[in-house]
Amino acid sequence: KMFMEAEDGTLNFDTTTKDPLSNEPVSGHYKSGETYNSVFGADASSYEECRAECVGIYLSVLPEILALFGHKDEGKEIADI
């Protein structure tokens, strides 16, 4: 979820939401009018591509995800991935 501030100053998230890495309250969000591309600039595309690759690699070894693509009960072959 992208934490954002609307034009009227309202936030689309609860201010008590904790950062899962630090366990501290969320300390930043997109201000009104900001977008992913305006914040990350020229690096936005490369960063998004790396994020997509990491998610794909992570999901590709989960049995539930492999089953969606017809790979079931393949035992050692799946464990070797």
Side-chain angles (χ1 to χ4, degrees):
K1 177 176 183 175
M2 291 179 59
F3 294 152
M4 302 182 82
E5 179 179 330
E7 285 184 29
D8 65 2
T10 58
L11 302 173
N12 72 340
F13 63 96
D14 184 347
T15 56
T16 63
T17 302
K18 302 235 180 194
D19 180 325
L21 300 177
S22 67
N23 204 32
E24 297 292 323
V26 170
S27 62
H29 58 275
Y30 289 96
K31 307 289 189 227
S32 178
E34 288 183 330
T35 65
Y36 180 83
N37 286 335
S38 70
V39 172
F40 290 97
D43 294 329
S45 173
S46 298
Y47 183 82
E48 183 60 20
E49 187 63 29
C50 287
R51 185 200 64 80
E53 289 288 333
C54 289
V55 169
I57 290 168
Y58 173 78
L59 292 175
S60 71
V61 299
L62 296 176
E64 302 88 357
I65 302 301
L66 291 169
L68 291 173
F69 296 97
H71 300 286
K72 299 177 185 177
D73 302 322
E74 295 181 20
K76 184 168 173 17
E77 287 184 25
I78 289 176
D80 287 342
I81 293 177

Coordinates of all heavy atoms in Angstrom, one line a residue:
K1 N 0.8 -1.2 0.0 CA 0.0 0.0 0.0 C 0.9 1.2 0.0 O 1.9 1.3 0.8 CB -0.9 0.0 1.2 CG -1.8 1.2 1.4 CD -2.7 1.1 2.5 CE -3.6 2.3 2.6 NZ -4.6 2.2 3.6
M2 N 0.5 2.2 -0.8 CA 1.3 3.4 -0.9 C 0.6 4.4 0.2 O -0.6 4.7 0.1 CB 1.2 4.1 -2.2 CG 2.0 3.3 -3.3 SD 1.9 4.0 -4.9 CE 2.6 5.6 -4.7
F3 N 1.4 4.8 1.1 CA 0.9 5.7 2.1 C 0.9 7.1 1.5 O 2.0 7.6 1.1 CB 1.8 5.7 3.4 CG 1.7 4.4 4.1 CD1 2.7 3.9 4.9 CD2 0.6 3.6 4.1 CE1 2.7 2.7 5.6 CE2 0.5 2.4 4.8 CZ 1.6 1.9 5.5
M4 N -0.3 7.8 1.5 CA -0.4 9.1 0.8 C -1.1 10.1 1.7 O -2.0 9.7 2.5 CB -1.1 8.9 -0.5 CG -0.3 7.9 -1.4 SD -1.1 7.7 -3.0 CE -0.4 9.2 -3.8
E5 N -0.9 11.3 1.4 CA -1.6 12.4 2.0 C -2.4 13.1 0.9 O -1.9 13.4 -0.2 CB -0.6 13.4 2.5 CG -1.2 14.7 3.2 CD -0.1 15.6 3.7 OE1 0.9 15.1 4.1 OE2 -0.4 16.8 3.7
A6 N -3.7 13.3 1.1 CA -4.6 13.9 0.2 C -4.4 15.4 0.2 O -3.7 16.0 1.1 CB -6.1 13.6 0.5
E7 N -5.0 16.1 -0.8 CA -4.9 17.6 -0.9 C -5.3 18.3 0.4 O -4.8 19.3 0.8 CB -5.6 18.1 -2.1 CG -4.9 17.8 -3.4 CD -5.7 18.4 -4.6 OE1 -6.3 19.5 -4.4 OE2 -5.6 17.9 -5.7
D8 N -6.4 17.7 1.0 CA -6.9 18.3 2.3 C -6.1 17.9 3.5 O -6.5 18.3 4.6 CB -8.4 17.9 2.4 CG -8.6 16.4 2.7 OD1 -7.6 15.7 2.7 OD2 -9.8 16.1 2.8
G9 N -5.0 17.2 3.3 CA -4.2 16.8 4.5 C -4.5 15.5 5.1 O -3.8 15.1 6.0
T10 N -5.6 14.9 4.8 CA -5.9 13.6 5.4 C -5.0 12.5 4.8 O -4.5 12.6 3.7 CB -7.4 13.2 5.1 OG1 -7.6 13.1 3.7 CG2 -8.4 14.2 5.7
L11 N -4.7 11.5 5.7 CA -3.9 10.4 5.3 C -4.7 9.2 5.0 O -5.8 9.0 5.6 CB -2.9 10.1 6.5 CG -2.0 11.3 6.9 CD1 -1.2 10.9 8.2 CD2 -1.1 11.7 5.8
N12 N -4.2 8.3 4.1 CA -4.9 7.1 3.8 C -4.5 5.9 4.6 O -4.7 4.8 4.2 CB -4.8 6.8 2.3 CG -3.4 6.3 1.9 OD1 -2.5 6.5 2.6 ND2 -3.3 5.7 0.8
F13 N -3.9 6.2 5.7 CA -3.4 5.2 6.6 C -3.5 5.6 8.1 O -3.5 6.8 8.3 CB -1.9 4.8 6.3 CG -0.9 5.9 6.5 CD1 -0.2 6.0 7.7 CD2 -0.7 6.8 5.5 CE1 0.7 7.0 7.8 CE2 0.2 7.8 5.6 CZ 0.9 7.9 6.8
D14 N -3.5 4.7 9.0 CA -3.6 5.0 10.4 C -2.2 5.4 10.9 O -1.2 4.7 10.6 CB -4.0 3.7 11.1 CG -4.2 3.9 12.6 OD1 -3.8 4.9 13.2 OD2 -4.8 3.0 13.2
T15 N -2.1 6.5 11.6 CA -0.8 7.0 12.0 C -0.1 6.2 13.0 O 1.0 6.4 13.3 CB -0.9 8.5 12.5 OG1 -1.9 8.5 13.6 CG2 -1.4 9.4 11.5
T16 N -0.8 5.2 13.6 CA -0.2 4.2 14.5 C 0.4 3.0 13.8 O 1.0 2.1 14.4 CB -1.2 3.7 15.6 OG1 -2.2 3.0 14.9 CG2 -1.7 4.9 16.4
T17 N 0.3 3.0 12.4 CA 0.9 1.9 11.6 C 2.4 1.8 11.9 O 3.0 2.8 11.8 CB 0.6 2.1 10.1 OG1 -0.8 2.2 10.0 CG2 1.1 1.0 9.3
K18 N 2.9 0.6 12.1 CA 4.3 0.4 12.4 C 5.0 -0.1 11.2 O 4.5 -0.8 10.4 CB 4.5 -0.6 13.5 CG 3.8 -0.2 14.8 CD 4.7 -0.2 15.9 CE 3.9 0.2 17.1 NZ 4.7 0.6 18.2
D19 N 6.3 0.4 11.0 CA 7.2 0.0 10.0 C 7.6 -1.4 10.4 O 8.1 -1.6 11.5 CB 8.4 0.9 9.9 CG 9.4 0.5 8.9 OD1 9.6 -0.7 8.7 OD2 10.0 1.4 8.3
P20 N 7.4 -2.4 9.5 CA 7.8 -3.8 9.9 C 9.3 -4.1 10.1 O 9.6 -5.0 10.8 CB 7.2 -4.7 8.7 CG 7.1 -3.7 7.6 CD 6.9 -2.4 8.2
L21 N 10.1 -3.2 9.6 CA 11.5 -3.4 9.7 C 12.1 -2.8 11.0 O 12.9 -3.4 11.7 CB 12.3 -2.8 8.6 CG 12.0 -3.4 7.2 CD1 12.7 -2.6 6.1 CD2 12.3 -4.9 7.2
S22 N 11.5 -1.7 11.4 CA 12.0 -1.0 12.6 C 11.1 -1.1 13.8 O 11.4 -0.7 14.9 CB 12.3 0.5 12.3 OG 11.0 1.2 12.1
N23 N 9.8 -1.5 13.6 CA 8.8 -1.5 14.6 C 8.5 -0.1 15.1 O 7.9 0.0 16.2 CB 9.1 -2.5 15.7 CG 7.8 -3.0 16.4 OD1 6.8 -3.1 15.7 ND2 7.9 -3.3 17.6
E24 N 8.9 0.9 14.4 CA 8.6 2.3 14.8 C 7.4 2.7 13.9 O 7.1 2.2 12.9 CB 9.8 3.2 14.5 CG 11.0 2.8 15.3 CD 10.8 3.1 16.8 OE1 10.2 4.1 17.1 OE2 11.3 2.3 17.6
P25 N 6.7 3.8 14.4 CA 5.6 4.3 13.5 C 6.1 4.7 12.1 O 7.3 5.2 12.0 CB 5.1 5.5 14.3 CG 5.5 5.3 15.7 CD 6.8 4.5 15.6
V26 N 5.3 4.6 11.1 CA 5.7 5.0 9.8 C 6.1 6.5 9.8 O 5.4 7.3 10.4 CB 4.5 4.8 8.8 CG1 4.8 5.4 7.4 CG2 4.2 3.3 8.6
S27 N 7.3 6.7 9.2 CA 7.8 8.1 9.3 C 7.8 8.9 8.0 O 8.1 10.1 8.0 CB 9.3 8.0 9.8 OG 10.1 7.3 8.8
G28 N 7.3 8.3 6.9 CA 7.2 9.0 5.7 C 6.1 8.5 4.8 O 5.6 7.4 5.0
H29 N 5.7 9.4 3.9 CA 4.6 9.1 3.0 C 4.7 10.0 1.8 O 5.4 11.0 1.9 CB 3.2 9.2 3.7 CG 2.9 10.5 4.3 ND1 3.4 10.9 5.5 CD2 2.3 11.6 3.8 CE1 3.0 12.1 5.8 NE2 2.3 12.6 4.7
Y30 N 3.9 9.7 0.8 CA 3.9 10.6 -0.4 C 3.0 11.8 0.0 O 1.9 11.6 0.5 CB 3.2 9.9 -1.6 CG 4.2 8.8 -2.2 CD1 4.0 7.5 -1.8 CD2 5.1 9.2 -3.1 CE1 4.9 6.5 -2.4 CE2 6.0 8.2 -3.7 CZ 5.8 6.9 -3.3 OH 6.7 6.0 -3.9
K31 N 3.5 12.9 -0.3 CA 2.8 14.2 -0.1 C 1.8 14.4 -1.2 O 1.9 13.8 -2.3 CB 3.7 15.4 0.0 CG 4.8 15.2 1.0 CD 4.3 15.3 2.4 CE 5.5 15.4 3.4 NZ 5.4 14.5 4.5
S32 N 0.8 15.3 -1.0 CA -0.1 15.6 -2.1 C 0.6 16.0 -3.3 O 1.5 16.8 -3.3 CB -1.0 16.7 -1.6 OG -2.0 17.0 -2.6
G33 N 0.2 15.4 -4.4 CA 0.8 15.7 -5.7 C 2.1 14.9 -6.1 O 2.5 14.9 -7.2
E34 N 2.6 14.2 -5.1 CA 3.8 13.4 -5.4 C 3.4 12.0 -6.0 O 2.4 11.5 -5.7 CB 4.6 13.1 -4.1 CG 5.4 14.3 -3.6 CD 6.2 14.0 -2.4 OE1 5.9 13.1 -1.6 OE2 7.2 14.7 -2.2
T35 N 4.3 11.5 -6.9 CA 4.0 10.2 -7.4 C 5.3 9.4 -7.2 O 6.4 10.0 -6.9 CB 3.7 10.2 -8.9 OG1 4.9 10.8 -9.6 CG2 2.5 11.1 -9.2
Y36 N 5.2 8.1 -7.5 CA 6.4 7.3 -7.4 C 7.5 7.8 -8.3 O 8.7 8.0 -7.9 CB 6.0 5.8 -7.8 CG 7.2 4.9 -7.8 CD1 7.5 4.2 -6.6 CD2 7.9 4.5 -8.9 CE1 8.6 3.3 -6.5 CE2 8.9 3.6 -8.9 CZ 9.3 3.0 -7.7 OH 10.3 2.1 -7.7
N37 N 7.2 8.2 -9.5 CA 8.2 8.7 -10.5 C 8.7 10.0 -10.1 O 9.9 10.3 -10.3 CB 7.6 8.7 -11.9 CG 7.4 7.4 -12.5 OD1 8.1 6.4 -12.2 ND2 6.5 7.2 -13.4
S38 N 7.9 10.9 -9.5 CA 8.4 12.2 -9.2 C 9.4 12.1 -8.0 O 10.3 12.9 -7.8 CB 7.3 13.2 -8.8 OG 6.6 12.9 -7.6
V39 N 9.2 11.1 -7.1 CA 10.0 11.0 -5.9 C 11.3 10.3 -6.3 O 12.4 10.7 -5.9 CB 9.3 10.2 -4.8 CG1 10.2 9.8 -3.7 CG2 8.1 11.0 -4.3
F40 N 11.3 9.2 -7.1 CA 12.5 8.4 -7.4 C 13.1 8.8 -8.7 O 14.2 8.4 -9.0 CB 12.1 6.9 -7.4 CG 11.8 6.4 -6.0 CD1 10.5 6.2 -5.6 CD2 12.9 6.0 -5.2 CE1 10.2 5.8 -4.3 CE2 12.6 5.5 -3.9 CZ 11.3 5.4 -3.5
G41 N 12.5 9.7 -9.5 CA 13.1 10.2 -10.7 C 13.6 9.2 -11.7 O 12.9 8.2 -11.9
A42 N 14.8 9.3 -12.1 CA 15.4 8.5 -13.2 C 15.6 7.0 -12.6 O 15.7 6.1 -13.4 CB 16.7 9.0 -13.6
D43 N 15.7 6.9 -11.3 CA 15.9 5.5 -10.8 C 14.6 4.7 -10.6 O 14.7 3.5 -10.3 CB 16.6 5.6 -9.4 CG 18.0 6.2 -9.5 OD1 18.6 6.0 -10.5 OD2 18.4 6.9 -8.5
A44 N 13.5 5.3 -10.8 CA 12.2 4.7 -10.6 C 12.0 3.4 -11.4 O 11.6 2.4 -10.9 CB 11.0 5.7 -10.8
S45 N 12.3 3.5 -12.7 CA 12.1 2.3 -13.5 C 13.0 1.2 -13.2 O 12.6 0.0 -13.1 CB 12.3 2.8 -15.0 OG 12.3 1.7 -15.8
S46 N 14.3 1.4 -12.9 CA 15.2 0.4 -12.6 C 14.9 -0.2 -11.2 O 14.9 -1.5 -11.1 CB 16.7 1.0 -12.5 OG 17.0 1.4 -13.7
Y47 N 14.5 0.6 -10.3 CA 14.1 0.1 -8.9 C 12.9 -0.8 -9.0 O 12.8 -1.9 -8.4 CB 13.9 1.3 -8.0 CG 13.5 0.9 -6.6 CD1 14.6 0.5 -5.7 CD2 12.2 0.8 -6.2 CE1 14.3 0.2 -4.4 CE2 11.9 0.4 -4.9 CZ 13.0 0.1 -4.0 OH 12.7 -0.3 -2.7
E48 N 11.9 -0.4 -9.8 CA 10.7 -1.2 -10.0 C 11.0 -2.5 -10.6 O 10.4 -3.5 -10.3 CB 9.7 -0.4 -10.8 CG 8.3 -1.1 -10.9 CD 7.6 -1.4 -9.6 OE1 7.9 -0.8 -8.6 OE2 6.8 -2.3 -9.7
E49 N 11.9 -2.5 -11.6 CA 12.3 -3.8 -12.3 C 12.9 -4.7 -11.3 O 12.6 -5.9 -11.3 CB 13.2 -3.5 -13.5 CG 13.5 -4.7 -14.3 CD 12.3 -5.3 -15.0 OE1 11.3 -4.6 -15.3 OE2 12.3 -6.6 -15.2
C50 N 13.8 -4.2 -10.5 CA 14.5 -5.1 -9.5 C 13.5 -5.6 -8.4 O 13.5 -6.8 -8.1 CB 15.6 -4.3 -8.7 SG 17.0 -4.0 -9.7
R51 N 12.5 -4.8 -8.0 CA 11.5 -5.2 -7.1 C 10.7 -6.3 -7.7 O 10.4 -7.3 -7.1 CB 10.6 -4.0 -6.7 CG 9.6 -4.4 -5.6 CD 8.4 -3.4 -5.6 NE 7.7 -3.5 -6.8 CZ 6.7 -4.4 -7.1 NH1 6.5 -5.4 -6.3 NH2 6.1 -4.3 -8.3
A52 N 10.3 -6.2 -8.9 CA 9.5 -7.2 -9.6 C 10.2 -8.5 -9.7 O 9.7 -9.6 -9.5 CB 9.1 -6.7 -11.0
E53 N 11.5 -8.5 -10.0 CA 12.3 -9.7 -10.1 C 12.4 -10.4 -8.8 O 12.3 -11.6 -8.7 CB 13.8 -9.3 -10.6 CG 13.8 -8.9 -12.1 CD 13.6 -10.1 -13.0 OE1 13.9 -11.3 -12.6 OE2 13.1 -9.9 -14.1
C54 N 12.6 -9.6 -7.7 CA 12.8 -10.2 -6.4 C 11.5 -10.9 -6.0 O 11.5 -12.0 -5.4 CB 13.1 -9.1 -5.4 SG 14.8 -8.5 -5.5
V55 N 10.3 -10.2 -6.2 CA 9.0 -10.8 -5.9 C 8.8 -12.1 -6.7 O 8.4 -13.1 -6.1 CB 7.9 -9.8 -6.2 CG1 6.5 -10.5 -6.1 CG2 8.0 -8.7 -5.2
G56 N 9.2 -12.1 -8.0 CA 9.1 -13.3 -8.8 C 9.9 -14.4 -8.3 O 9.5 -15.6 -8.2
I57 N 11.1 -14.1 -7.9 CA 12.0 -15.2 -7.4 C 11.5 -15.8 -6.1 O 11.5 -17.0 -5.9 CB 13.5 -14.6 -7.2 CG1 14.1 -14.4 -8.6 CG2 14.3 -15.6 -6.4 CD1 15.4 -13.6 -8.6
Y58 N 11.1 -14.9 -5.2 CA 10.5 -15.3 -3.9 C 9.3 -16.2 -4.2 O 9.2 -17.3 -3.6 CB 10.1 -14.1 -3.1 CG 9.4 -14.5 -1.8 CD1 10.1 -15.0 -0.7 CD2 8.0 -14.4 -1.7 CE1 9.4 -15.4 0.4 CE2 7.3 -14.7 -0.6 CZ 8.0 -15.2 0.5 OH 7.4 -15.6 1.6
L59 N 8.3 -15.8 -5.0 CA 7.1 -16.5 -5.2 C 7.3 -17.8 -6.0 O 6.6 -18.8 -5.8 CB 6.1 -15.7 -6.0 CG 5.5 -14.5 -5.2 CD1 4.6 -13.6 -6.1 CD2 4.8 -14.9 -4.0
S60 N 8.4 -17.9 -6.8 CA 8.6 -19.1 -7.6 C 9.0 -20.3 -6.8 O 8.9 -21.4 -7.4 CB 9.7 -18.8 -8.7 OG 10.9 -18.7 -8.1
V61 N 9.3 -20.2 -5.6 CA 9.7 -21.4 -4.8 C 8.6 -21.8 -3.8 O 8.8 -22.7 -3.0 CB 11.0 -21.2 -4.1 CG1 12.1 -21.0 -5.1 CG2 11.0 -20.1 -3.1
L62 N 7.5 -21.1 -3.8 CA 6.4 -21.4 -2.8 C 5.5 -22.5 -3.5 O 5.0 -22.3 -4.6 CB 5.5 -20.2 -2.5 CG 6.3 -19.1 -1.8 CD1 5.3 -17.9 -1.6 CD2 6.8 -19.6 -0.4
P63 N 5.3 -23.6 -2.8 CA 4.5 -24.7 -3.3 C 3.1 -24.2 -3.8 O 2.6 -24.7 -4.8 CB 4.4 -25.7 -2.2 CG 5.6 -25.4 -1.3 CD 5.8 -23.9 -1.4
E64 N 2.5 -23.3 -3.0 CA 1.1 -22.8 -3.4 C 1.2 -22.1 -4.8 O 0.2 -22.3 -5.5 CB 0.6 -21.9 -2.3 CG 0.5 -22.5 -1.0 CD 1.8 -22.3 -0.2 OE1 2.8 -21.8 -0.7 OE2 1.8 -22.7 1.0
I65 N 2.2 -21.4 -5.0 CA 2.3 -20.7 -6.3 C 2.6 -21.6 -7.4 O 2.1 -21.6 -8.5 CB 3.4 -19.6 -6.2 CG1 3.0 -18.6 -5.1 CG2 3.6 -18.9 -7.5 CD1 1.7 -17.9 -5.2
L66 N 3.6 -22.6 -7.2 CA 3.9 -23.6 -8.2 C 2.7 -24.4 -8.6 O 2.5 -24.7 -9.7 CB 5.0 -24.5 -7.7 CG 6.4 -23.8 -7.5 CD1 7.3 -24.7 -6.8 CD2 6.9 -23.4 -8.9
A67 N 1.8 -24.7 -7.6 CA 0.6 -25.5 -7.9 C -0.3 -24.7 -8.8 O -1.0 -25.3 -9.6 CB -0.1 -25.8 -6.6
L68 N -0.3 -23.4 -8.8 CA -1.2 -22.6 -9.7 C -0.8 -22.8 -11.1 O -1.6 -22.7 -12.0 CB -1.0 -21.1 -9.4 CG -1.6 -20.6 -8.1 CD1 -1.2 -19.1 -7.8 CD2 -3.1 -20.8 -8.1
F69 N 0.5 -23.2 -11.4 CA 1.0 -23.4 -12.7 C 1.1 -24.9 -13.0 O 1.8 -25.3 -14.0 CB 2.3 -22.7 -12.9 CG 2.2 -21.2 -12.8 CD1 2.5 -20.6 -11.6 CD2 1.8 -20.5 -13.9 CE1 2.4 -19.2 -11.5 CE2 1.7 -19.1 -13.8 CZ 2.0 -18.5 -12.6
G70 N 0.5 -25.7 -12.2 CA 0.4 -27.2 -12.5 C 1.5 -28.0 -12.0 O 1.7 -29.2 -12.3
H71 N 2.4 -27.4 -11.2 CA 3.6 -28.2 -10.6 C 3.2 -28.6 -9.2 O 3.3 -27.9 -8.3 CB 4.8 -27.3 -10.6 CG 5.2 -26.8 -11.9 ND1 5.8 -27.6 -12.8 CD2 5.1 -25.6 -12.5 CE1 6.1 -26.9 -13.9 NE2 5.7 -25.7 -13.8
K72 N 2.7 -29.9 -9.1 CA 2.3 -30.4 -7.9 C 3.0 -31.7 -7.6 O 3.3 -32.5 -8.5 CB 0.8 -30.7 -7.9 CG -0.1 -29.4 -8.1 CD -1.6 -29.8 -8.2 CE -2.4 -28.6 -8.5 NZ -3.8 -28.9 -8.7
D73 N 3.3 -31.9 -6.3 CA 3.8 -33.2 -5.9 C 5.0 -33.6 -6.7 O 5.2 -34.8 -7.0 CB 2.7 -34.3 -6.0 CG 1.5 -34.0 -5.1 OD1 1.8 -33.4 -4.0 OD2 0.4 -34.3 -5.5
E74 N 5.9 -32.7 -7.0 CA 7.1 -33.0 -7.7 C 8.3 -33.2 -6.8 O 9.5 -33.3 -7.2 CB 7.4 -32.0 -8.8 CG 6.2 -32.1 -9.8 CD 6.4 -31.1 -11.0 OE1 7.5 -30.6 -11.2 OE2 5.4 -30.8 -11.6
G75 N 8.1 -33.2 -5.5 CA 9.0 -33.5 -4.5 C 10.4 -32.8 -4.6 O 10.5 -31.6 -4.5
K76 N 11.4 -33.6 -4.9 CA 12.8 -33.2 -4.9 C 13.0 -32.1 -6.0 O 13.8 -31.2 -5.8 CB 13.7 -34.4 -5.1 CG 15.2 -34.0 -5.1 CD 16.1 -35.2 -5.0 CE 17.6 -34.9 -5.1 NZ 18.1 -33.6 -4.9
E77 N 12.4 -32.2 -7.1 CA 12.6 -31.2 -8.2 C 12.2 -29.9 -7.7 O 12.9 -28.9 -7.9 CB 11.8 -31.6 -9.4 CG 12.3 -32.8 -10.2 CD 11.6 -33.1 -11.4 OE1 11.0 -32.2 -12.0 OE2 11.6 -34.2 -11.9
I78 N 11.1 -29.7 -7.0 CA 10.7 -28.4 -6.5 C 11.7 -28.0 -5.4 O 12.0 -26.8 -5.3 CB 9.2 -28.5 -5.9 CG1 8.3 -28.6 -7.1 CG2 8.9 -27.3 -5.1 CD1 6.8 -28.8 -6.7
A79 N 12.1 -28.9 -4.5 CA 13.0 -28.6 -3.4 C 14.3 -28.1 -4.0 O 15.0 -27.3 -3.3 CB 13.2 -29.8 -2.5
D80 N 14.7 -28.5 -5.2 CA 16.0 -28.1 -5.8 C 16.0 -26.7 -6.4 O 17.0 -26.2 -6.8 CB 16.4 -29.1 -6.8 CG 16.9 -30.4 -6.2 OD1 17.2 -30.4 -5.0 OD2 17.0 -31.4 -6.9
I81 N 14.8 -26.2 -6.5 CA 14.7 -24.9 -7.2 C 15.4 -23.8 -6.4 O 15.3 -23.6 -5.3 CB 13.2 -24.5 -7.5 CG1 12.6 -25.4 -8.5 CG2 13.1 -23.1 -8.0 CD1 11.2 -25.2 -8.8

